[in-house]
Protein backbone atom coordinates (compact mmCIF):
# COMPACT_ATOMS: atom_id res chain seq x y z
CA UNK A 1 0.00 0.00 0.00
CA UNK A 2 1.29 3.38 -0.93
CA UNK A 3 -1.03 5.51 1.23
CA UNK A 4 -1.00 4.38 4.82
CA UNK A 5 -1.19 7.73 6.59
CA UNK A 6 -4.37 9.32 5.21
CA UNK A 7 -4.48 11.85 8.04
CA UNK A 8 -1.07 13.21 7.07
CA UNK A 9 -1.71 13.12 3.33
CA UNK A 10 -5.28 14.40 3.10
CA UNK A 11 -6.39 15.25 6.63
CA UNK A 12 -4.01 18.11 7.37
CA UNK A 13 -5.73 21.10 8.94
CA UNK A 14 -4.58 24.71 9.48
CA UNK A 15 -5.81 25.18 13.04
CA UNK A 16 -3.81 28.31 13.86
CA UNK A 17 -3.92 30.05 10.49
CA UNK A 18 -4.78 33.77 10.58
CA UNK A 19 -6.34 33.32 7.10
CA UNK A 20 -9.34 31.27 8.23
CA UNK A 21 -12.40 32.21 10.26
CA UNK A 22 -12.12 30.25 13.48
CA UNK A 23 -15.18 28.69 15.11
CA UNK A 24 -16.13 28.30 18.73
CA UNK A 25 -15.81 24.83 20.18
CA UNK A 26 -13.42 21.97 19.80
CA UNK A 27 -12.14 21.00 16.36
CA UNK A 28 -12.52 17.39 15.30
CA UNK A 29 -9.72 15.18 16.55
CA UNK A 30 -6.70 14.82 14.28
CA UNK A 31 -5.41 11.34 13.57
CA UNK A 32 -2.36 10.84 11.37
CA UNK A 33 -3.44 7.38 10.19
CA UNK A 34 -6.95 8.20 9.02
CA UNK A 35 -8.91 11.11 7.64
CA UNK A 36 -12.47 11.88 8.69
CA UNK A 37 -14.07 14.26 6.14
CA UNK A 38 -15.04 17.61 7.66
CA UNK A 39 -15.55 21.23 6.70
CA UNK A 40 -14.14 22.55 9.97
CA UNK A 41 -12.30 25.76 8.98
CA UNK A 42 -8.72 24.99 8.05
CA UNK A 43 -9.54 21.46 6.89
CA UNK A 44 -9.27 20.28 3.32
CA UNK A 45 -12.77 20.32 1.83
CA UNK A 46 -14.16 16.80 1.30
CA UNK A 47 -14.04 15.71 -2.32
CA UNK A 48 -17.11 13.86 -3.61
CA UNK A 49 -18.53 12.94 -6.97
CA UNK A 50 -21.38 15.27 -7.88
CA UNK A 51 -24.63 14.26 -9.58
CA UNK A 52 -23.08 14.85 -13.03
CA UNK A 53 -20.28 12.39 -12.19
CA UNK A 54 -17.56 15.05 -11.86
CA UNK A 55 -15.44 15.28 -8.71
CA UNK A 56 -16.02 18.41 -6.65
CA UNK A 57 -12.33 19.35 -6.94
CA UNK A 58 -12.73 19.60 -10.73
CA UNK A 59 -15.49 22.20 -10.23
CA UNK A 60 -13.61 24.49 -7.83
CA UNK A 61 -12.62 27.85 -9.30
CA UNK A 62 -9.09 29.15 -9.68
CA UNK A 63 -9.63 31.58 -6.77
CA UNK A 64 -12.04 31.14 -3.89
CA UNK A 65 -15.18 29.02 -4.30
CA UNK A 66 -18.38 29.33 -2.30
CA UNK A 67 -20.25 26.04 -2.03
CA UNK A 68 -23.96 26.79 -1.75
CA UNK A 69 -25.77 23.69 -0.55
CA UNK A 70 -29.40 23.27 -1.61
CA UNK A 71 -29.99 26.84 -2.71
CA UNK A 72 -28.34 28.62 0.21
CA UNK A 73 -27.98 32.36 -0.37
CA UNK A 74 -24.43 33.66 -0.31
CA UNK A 75 -25.10 36.90 -2.18
CA UNK A 76 -23.51 39.14 0.46
CA UNK A 77 -20.22 37.28 0.13
CA UNK A 78 -20.47 37.42 -3.67
CA UNK A 79 -21.16 41.16 -3.60
CA UNK A 80 -18.34 41.83 -1.12
CA UNK A 81 -15.90 39.79 -3.22
CA UNK A 82 -16.84 41.76 -6.34
CA UNK A 83 -16.37 45.04 -4.47
CA UNK A 84 -12.79 44.18 -3.46
CA UNK A 85 -11.84 42.32 -6.65
CA UNK A 86 -11.51 38.91 -4.98
CA UNK A 87 -12.00 36.04 -7.45
CA UNK A 88 -14.99 34.06 -6.15
CA UNK A 89 -16.92 31.36 -7.97
CA UNK A 90 -20.17 29.93 -6.64
CA UNK A 91 -20.84 26.22 -6.93
CA UNK A 92 -24.46 25.28 -6.26
CA UNK A 93 -24.86 21.77 -4.91
CA UNK A 94 -28.42 20.52 -4.98
CA UNK A 95 -27.82 16.90 -3.93
CA UNK A 96 -29.44 16.49 -0.47
CA UNK A 97 -27.20 13.52 0.32
CA UNK A 98 -24.20 15.87 0.33
CA UNK A 99 -25.64 18.23 2.94
CA UNK A 100 -24.44 15.97 5.76
CA UNK A 101 -20.92 15.70 4.34
CA UNK A 102 -20.52 19.48 4.01
CA UNK A 103 -22.02 20.13 7.47
CA UNK A 104 -23.13 23.70 6.67
CA UNK A 105 -25.18 25.32 3.91
CA UNK A 106 -22.37 27.68 2.86
CA UNK A 107 -18.72 26.64 2.70
CA UNK A 108 -16.04 29.06 1.49
CA UNK A 109 -13.08 27.19 -0.01
CA UNK A 110 -9.63 28.75 -0.50
CA UNK A 111 -7.62 28.22 -3.70
CA UNK A 112 -5.61 25.51 -1.86
CA UNK A 113 -8.82 23.49 -1.30
CA UNK A 114 -8.97 24.24 2.42
CA UNK A 115 -12.09 25.61 4.11
CA UNK A 116 -11.78 29.29 4.99
CA UNK A 117 -15.26 29.87 6.48
CA UNK A 118 -18.58 28.08 6.81
CA UNK A 119 -22.07 28.91 8.00
CA UNK A 120 -25.71 27.94 7.72
CA UNK A 121 -26.65 31.50 6.80
CA UNK A 122 -24.85 34.20 4.91
CA UNK A 123 -23.22 37.01 6.90
CA UNK A 124 -25.74 39.37 8.48
CA UNK A 125 -24.49 42.48 6.71
CA UNK A 126 -22.23 43.67 3.91
CA UNK A 127 -19.68 44.78 6.53
CA UNK A 128 -19.65 41.32 8.09
CA UNK A 129 -19.19 39.72 4.66
CA UNK A 130 -16.29 42.08 3.94
CA UNK A 131 -14.70 41.25 7.31
CA UNK A 132 -14.84 37.51 6.53
CA UNK A 133 -13.24 38.04 3.13
CA UNK A 134 -10.59 40.36 4.58
CA UNK A 135 -9.67 37.62 7.07
CA UNK A 136 -9.48 34.79 4.56
CA UNK A 137 -7.45 36.83 2.06
CA UNK A 138 -5.04 38.03 4.74
CA UNK A 139 -5.90 41.72 4.44
Amino acid sequence: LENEAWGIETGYRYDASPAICHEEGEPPPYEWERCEPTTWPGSRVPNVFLSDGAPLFDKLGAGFTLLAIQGADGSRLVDAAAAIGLPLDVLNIDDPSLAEIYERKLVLVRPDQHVAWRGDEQPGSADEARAILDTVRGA
Side-chain angles (χ1 to χ4, degrees):
L1 290 173
E2 197 171 312
N3 296 319
E4 295 182 10
W6 287 103
I8 293 172
E9 295 180 34
T10 62
Y12 182 78
R13 184 172 69 221
Y14 298 106
D15 283 333
S17 173
I20 61 170
C21 294
H22 298 276
E23 288 191 6
E24 297 293 323
E26 290 294 315
Y30 172 75
E31 298 180 42
W32 69 271
E33 291 181 312
R34 56 187 297 257
C35 177
E36 191 68 36
T38 182
T39 58
W40 183 267
S43 299
R44 189 170 186 209
V45 69
N47 190 23
V48 299
F49 287 94
L50 302 172
S51 59
D52 65 0
L56 174 89
F57 281 9
D58 285 357
K59 302 276 186 162
L60 296 176
F64 285 81
T65 303
L66 181 63
L67 307 181
I69 313 297
Q70 295 185 295
D73 180 13
S75 59
R76 286 193 186 106
L77 287 167
V78 171
D79 292 346
I84 60 176
L86 181 75
L88 176 65
D89 291 311
V90 177
L91 178 58
N92 292 300
I93 299 176
D94 294 325
D95 185 343
S97 68
L98 300 181
E100 184 176 336
I101 293 170
Y102 291 106
E103 303 174 300
R104 300 292 188 277
K105 294 178 182 175
L106 295 166
V107 179
L108 182 62
V109 182
R110 298 186 330 191
D112 66 356
Q113 302 171 340
H114 284 257
V115 175
W117 171 88
R118 67 182 185 168
D120 281 323
E121 295 183 8
Q122 69 173 327
S125 69
D127 288 341
E128 187 179 333
R130 172 69 186 260
I132 288 169
L133 295 180
D134 282 348
T135 296
V136 304
R137 69 187 180 114

